[in-house]
Amino acid sequence: MKVGDVATLSIYLLIGMFVLLAIGMPLGFASAFLAVAVIVMKFGPEVSFGRFGSGPMSVLAQAVYRQMTNYVLISVPLFIFMASLLERSGIAKDMYDALNQWLSRTRGGIAIVTSIMAVIMAAMSGIIGGEVVLLGLIALPQMLRLGYNQNLAIGTICASGSLGTMIPPSIVLIFYGLVTETSIKALFTASFLPGFMLASFFILYIIIRTNLNPSLAPLPEEDPTAPKGMEKFLRFVGFLSRFALWITGFLLLRAVFFTITGDNTVEEGLEPIALGMVSDIPYIVGAFAIATALILFVVGRERAEEGWQMGKGLIAPVIVIGVVLGSIYMGITGITEAAGMGVVAVFVIGLVRREMTFDIVWDSLMRTLKSTGTIIWVTIGAASLAAAYTLAGGPTYVANMIVAAELPTMGIILVMMVIFLIMGMFMDWIGIVLLIMPVFLPIVLKLPVEEIGIFGELDPRQVAIWFGVVFCMNMQVSFLSPPFGPAAFYLKSVAPAHISLTAIFRGFLPFIVLQLLALSVLLIWPPIVTLFL
């Protein structure tokens, strides 16, 4: 059956997608099947299959080939492998214990620790599934044991565990950059502030809610031997000072090395090495001297040593973050190489801690293979369907339909946001990026840039970056949205038997409101995304 009308074809495509997903067909296979169906309905079987290697079907093959041969795509399995190694090692548990030492006597402290830990985990791996499972294993039993409100505990774990979509190195941003040919480094830089803004919304909500209703988060029993008040603060300063000695010492040796080799000479057209120029050495030496003075004359060596023992669980995560993000932003490597360096860093730390066994590595590899296989098949199917729909004239039809509605600029963007939210309830983010973004982004790029947002104005060159960050914030909501919010199923897999899926989704509600609030901030004040660019 040949269908010439793009509107009719679009309706068939929409109905077909929902039917196939409803009967349980995986998204990758459903997309690939519909891609072939669209080509056959538009051009007929004789044109589609008439000559091998040419015609509409070859366009689909070329679209898949472009996606599969993109070098940056290699970073995806590497980040997944790194997240799997982190999940199986004791790095995360030690980090949780260290954070808990500093915040245990704060109202809602365990929930705050969970949110901070989620931010650090997100900055290490960019994966949400492993984060939610890990927090469910470590933090949920602790909060329930201490009498925390179940809804607060569930919402904190799942909402905070989903921050991997917003905080670099986010795999969602990597795929968006691949599909839209947008600078991934610029996307990472732009998402920093919105990601931490959302995390701060969660933490502020926990602090305000638990102080208004202390029964939601009872304080644990006080340890009479633990330092309190100013003594605890001085130990924290001692920990930071001692850690600063290591960092500034490393930076000083690095700057001296670059000076000896002549790599940090100022040349026109080349960016200076971050914190590696001769002019940076006095500042690094000054920071080293301040840290030394704090230990010797303010904190004391004994307190500094005690503080170091209390907080040393944070060192390994900071090293991993420094290796991954530091290598990207200091211009040492690209995204893919940084992912590989992150894997090596986690592996070496595991060996030093005597935690890296053959079973852990093998299990992490198997998990990586399964997760990557799912992502690759969805990518193949969605890329095929996007190419087929483009050939059929779908993007032009959708663009003309939106323009014909004569909505104001922000009205068009809000309609897109609603479509993202609805699709996020039923479809994985990979499919949305590959299927919808090639249709929506060209429309957004043609909108009057001065009409985007209410406060401030975007640079026309940064509209694609802003829209990518807004999309990622939208996907934050999809991870918690019923009926298929993946965070709920991740937590259910490790939660006690008495916690039902209904109870998990009920715990999400306040955090979904916070996510929508953060999304509104990005829409109302777009320049918040580009402040660091």
Side-chain angles (χ1 to χ4, degrees), residues 153-169:
I154 289 170
T156 299
I157 287 171
C158 291
S160 301
S162 302
L163 287 169
T165 60
M166 278 300 302
I167 295 174

Side-chain angles (χ1 to χ4, degrees), residues 292-313:
T292 304
L294 284 173
I295 292 173
L296 294 178
F297 305 113
V298 179
V299 177
R301 292 183 179 180
E302 187 176 338
R303 286 198 194 97
E305 176 60 29
E306 291 175 7
W308 180 262
Q309 293 302 320
M310 292 171 66
K312 65 181 181 181

Side-chain angles (χ1 to χ4, degrees), residues 70-156:
N70 196 312
Y71 180 62
V72 179
L73 189 63
I74 301 172
S75 66
V76 173
L78 288 172
F79 279 126
I80 294 174
F81 184 42
M82 182 171 65
S84 299
L85 289 176
L86 284 168
E87 184 183 339
R88 295 296 306 276
S89 69
I91 294 174
K93 186 179 183 307
D94 287 352
M95 175 174 62
Y96 183 84
D97 292 340
L99 288 169
N100 196 25
Q101 294 226 41
W102 302 115
L103 295 170
S104 59
R105 298 303 301 167
T106 303
R107 180 69 66 182
I110 308 298
I112 296 170
V113 165
T114 302
S115 295
I116 296 172
M117 180 177 172
V119 172
I120 298 172
M121 292 289 292
M124 283 195 284
S125 65
I127 309 290
I128 77 134
E131 275 188 57
V132 174
V133 169
L134 192 62
L135 293 172
L137 289 170
I138 296 176
L140 184 59
Q142 179 84 336
M143 284 194 274
L144 295 179
R145 181 181 65 80
L146 292 173
Y148 272 59
N149 177 269
Q150 180 176 288
N151 288 342
L152 178 66
I154 289 170
T156 299

